[in-house]
């Protein structure tokens, strides 16, 4: 009986009764703040942009960010002579509602997201690239919905979905990276503005 129901559901989906609608958030890096210790030791900062990628650099690290709502593709280069550790247990993402959620990388499963996450070590002079975000973001949920599956005739649900995303324009998203080098933990606070939303 279960296989019959699943087959029927598959036919319904293939028949075009349901469609997937998505939202893409247009975001820009506005500001990066560091602790006073980092400002003194690692000098001036530089923020730049190329297409949809945003870059931050000081004498300590160089980063690239591709924002996708509560998810980011993060590239981080260690410019020091010592290893740097990304301390996930102290790294967070502050969502548009002001909620502080644990920042994780894409290899962490939901079942492990409430446990201690081992740090990611970036050796001197090397670079790592990670898919990072909140566990809700990886599931397509959270403060910034990315997609919805609805009946094609249910325009009210589509309108509610679109309105919920448009309401976020002008809000902020803040990934905060906790980086440890030689026993000192420095917090880098990246502030992204939600400039617009595109619906498909």
């Amino acid at each position: 009986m279960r296989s019959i129901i699943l087959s029927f559901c598959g036919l319904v989906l293939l028949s075009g009764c349901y469609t997937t609608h998505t939202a893409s958030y247009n975001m820009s890096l506005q500001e990066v703040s560091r602790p006073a210790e980092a400002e003194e030791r690692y000098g001036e900062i530089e923020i730049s942009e190329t297409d949809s990628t945003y870059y931050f650099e000081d004498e300590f690290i160089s980063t690239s960010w591709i924002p996708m709502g509560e998810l980011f593709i993060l590239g981080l280069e260690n410019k020091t002579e010592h290893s740097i550790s990304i301390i996930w247990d102290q790294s967070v993402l502050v969502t548009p509602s002001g909620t502080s959620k644990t920042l994780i990388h894409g290899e962490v499963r939901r079942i492990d997201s409430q446990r201690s996450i081992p740090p990611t070590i970036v050796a001197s002079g090397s670079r790592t690239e990670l898919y990072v975000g909140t566990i809700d973001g990886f599931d397509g949920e959270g403060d910034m919905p990315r997609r919805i599956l609805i009946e094609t005739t249910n325009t009210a649900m589509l309108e509610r979905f679109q309105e919920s995303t448009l309401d976020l324009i002008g809000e902020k998203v803040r990934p905060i990276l906790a980086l440890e080098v030689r026993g000192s933990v420095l917090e880098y606070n990246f502030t992204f503005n939600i400039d617009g939303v595109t619906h498909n």
Side-chain angles (χ1 to χ4, degrees):
M1 184 66 172
R2 184 180 177 190
S3 62
I4 294 173
I5 293 172
L6 290 174
S7 298
F8 175 75
C9 290
L11 288 172
V12 169
L13 289 173
L14 291 173
S15 70
C17 294
Y18 290 82
T19 56
T20 301
H21 297 269
T22 61
S24 301
Y25 295 91
N26 309 315
M27 299 165 63
S28 57
L29 180 59
Q30 298 294 306
E31 180 185 5
V32 181
S33 60
R34 305 168 295 171
E37 177 186 352
E39 291 184 4
E40 292 174 7
R41 291 180 59 189
Y42 301 116
E44 296 294 320
I45 66 173
E46 181 179 335
I47 298 174
S48 59
E49 171 191 358
T50 304
D51 296 327
S52 60
T53 304
Y54 294 88
Y55 301 91
F56 164 83
E57 185 170 3
D58 61 11
E59 294 180 14
F60 180 55
I61 57 170
S62 175
T63 64
S64 61
W65 296 84
I66 300 176
M68 297 173 288
E70 287 189 30
L71 301 176
F72 297 82
I73 297 175
L74 166 66
L76 188 148
E77 178 186 350
N78 177 358
K79 299 171 67 176
T80 76
E81 297 178 353
H82 310 278
S83 293
I84 291 176
S85 297
I86 304 174
I87 309 300
W88 298 108
D89 290 346
Q90 298 179 43
S91 298
V92 299
L93 186 137
V94 182
T95 67
S97 67
T99 304
S100 181
K101 300 181 179 180
T102 301
L103 189 68
I104 62 173
H105 57 82
E107 296 179 8
V108 177
R109 301 175 301 168
R110 173 172 280 278
I111 194 171
D112 297 322
S113 64
Q114 301 301 315
R115 302 173 183 165
S116 179
I117 301 171
T120 296
I121 298 173
V122 186
S124 172
S126 71
R127 177 180 173 84
T128 188
E129 191 166 284
L130 299 162
Y131 200 21
V132 302
T134 66
I135 193 65
D136 291 332
F138 281 113
D139 288 345
E141 301 171 357
D143 282 13
M144 304 175 70
R146 288 183 293 140
R147 68 179 66 88
I148 187 171
L149 178 68
I150 63 170
E151 292 182 60
T152 55
T153 56
N154 195 336
T155 56
M157 183 179 281
L158 176 59
E159 288 173 0
R160 285 196 300 272
F161 169 70
Q162 293 179 340
E163 287 173 5
S164 70
T165 60
L166 291 172
D167 287 345
L168 295 172
I169 295 175
E171 298 293 336
K172 309 292 184 189
V173 181
R174 293 192 295 122
I176 301 173
L177 284 181
L179 305 176
E180 181 179 12
V181 58
R182 303 187 71 186
S184 297
V185 177
L186 306 173
E187 286 189 353
Y188 276 66
N189 188 332
F190 298 83
T191 300
F192 288 85
N193 189 66
I194 302 172
D195 300 320
V197 181
T198 302
H199 296 108
N200 298 308

